[in-house]
Amino acid sequence: MASFGWKRKIGEKVSKATSQQFEAEAADDKDLGDDDDANWVHAAKRRKEILLEDCVRRSKELKDEGANLAENKRYREALVKWDEALQLTPEDATLYEMKSQVLMSLHEMFPAVHAAEMAVQRNPRSWDAWQTLGRAQLGLGEIALAIRSFQVSLHTFPMNPEVWKEDLSWARKLQEQQKATKTESVEALAKAKELAQESIPDYDFESDEIVAVCAAIAEKEKALSAAKTMVIVSASGTIETVTEQDNCPATPDETLFIRAR
């Protein structure tokens, strides 16, 4: 049986020149492979950039179309355009802020507040988004929240006269009226309760006056129950009412022929 020893290492008998040529070809192939990988990654990135640029460009077109529709008071059509734009650029805070304004024009306050909140979440430093949020909250009657939103808007852009002179001033005026109305309601309720308590007299049902009145009423009822009333119709058709007492009954004469009790 033939015996086997350790296998020789590959390339042990290969000449040095052949080995160097092989290593050089392998290095060239590796460089070509690296170049192909780099080209593929670069091409993928470029395609992604082009796609994003197309999305942004198309979103801007839809935004402008919606703005033109909103200026012509075609609010529903404007909302459709902006929703399409949001599918392409969902992080665009301006689209949400514009939606909120249109929804307020349609008197849809809950969706308007939601859209303004989305705008603020995407761009907390947008003073106009905070202003729109405050106006939407004011439309819901949330005066305290509206004041806070207007204050944040002013903190972001302190030189905005519109928020300071119109929005915040109006919201504070409404807050003062709300407090005054609440105070008047509480005072009116307390006064009505006080009058209701005063209108109920505190009778002493065991007093001598009450006892005497009750006794007089009882005697009158007793006298009425003892009396009997008769209706007598004569032969000529005359009707006469006769009251008789239990102790002295009255008897009709012979001319009476009908007696009704």
Side-chain angles (χ1 to χ4, degrees), residues 1 15 31 40 54 97 104 132:
M1 177 181 289
S15 65
D31 292 338
W40 183 86
D54 291 340
E97 191 269 334
M104 280 190 285
T132 302

Side-chain angles (χ1 to χ4, degrees), residues 6-19:
W6 296 104
K7 294 182 179 180
R8 298 189 185 98
K9 294 182 180 180
I10 298 175
E12 184 176 348
K13 292 185 178 181
V14 179
S15 65
K16 185 176 182 181
T18 304
S19 177

Side-chain angles (χ1 to χ4, degrees), residues 79 82-83 86 92-104 108-123 129-130 132-133 136:
L79 289 175
W82 291 336
D83 286 335
L86 283 171
D92 191 343
T94 307
L95 287 169
Y96 285 105
E97 191 269 334
M98 294 167 71
K99 277 190 65 175
S100 180
Q101 292 188 48
V102 168
L103 289 168
M104 280 190 285
E108 298 181 9
M109 294 304 174
F110 282 104
V113 170
H114 177 69
E117 288 176 345
M118 297 291 285
V120 168
Q121 289 175 6
R122 279 152 179 76
N123 188 5
W130 283 105
T132 302
L133 176 59

Side-chain angles (χ1 to χ4, degrees), residues 196-205:
Q197 292 177 349
E198 293 178 355
S199 61
I200 302 175
D202 188 13
Y203 290 113
D204 184 6
F205 292 98

Side-chain angles (χ1 to χ4, degrees), residues 142-239:
E142 298 292 343
I143 301 176
L145 294 177
I147 290 176
R148 179 185 177 278
S149 298
F150 293 143
Q151 289 174 341
V152 175
S153 179
L154 277 175
H155 179 75
T156 306
F157 183 30
M159 302 304 295
N160 188 350
E162 184 180 12
V163 177
W164 180 263
K165 295 181 180 180
E166 296 181 12
D167 296 314
L168 188 58
S169 177
W170 173 245
R172 285 177 174 172
K173 184 177 180 180
L174 290 177
Q175 188 179 45
E176 293 175 359
Q177 292 178 355
Q178 187 182 50
K179 290 180 179 179
T181 303
K182 186 176 181 180
T183 302
E184 292 176 359
S185 300
V186 172
E187 292 176 354
L189 183 62
K191 187 175 181 179
K193 185 177 181 181
E194 184 179 354
L195 291 175
Q197 292 177 349
E198 293 178 355
S199 61
I200 302 175
D202 188 13
Y203 290 113
D204 184 6
F205 292 98
E206 296 182 358
S207 64
D208 296 337
E209 291 82 0
I210 298 298
V211 173
V213 170
C214 292
I217 293 174
E219 289 296 332
K220 186 175 181 180
E221 291 292 334
K222 184 177 180 181
L224 291 175
S225 62
K228 296 180 180 180
T229 303
M230 294 182 295
V231 178
I232 301 174
V233 181
S234 64
S236 61
T238 304
I239 300 175

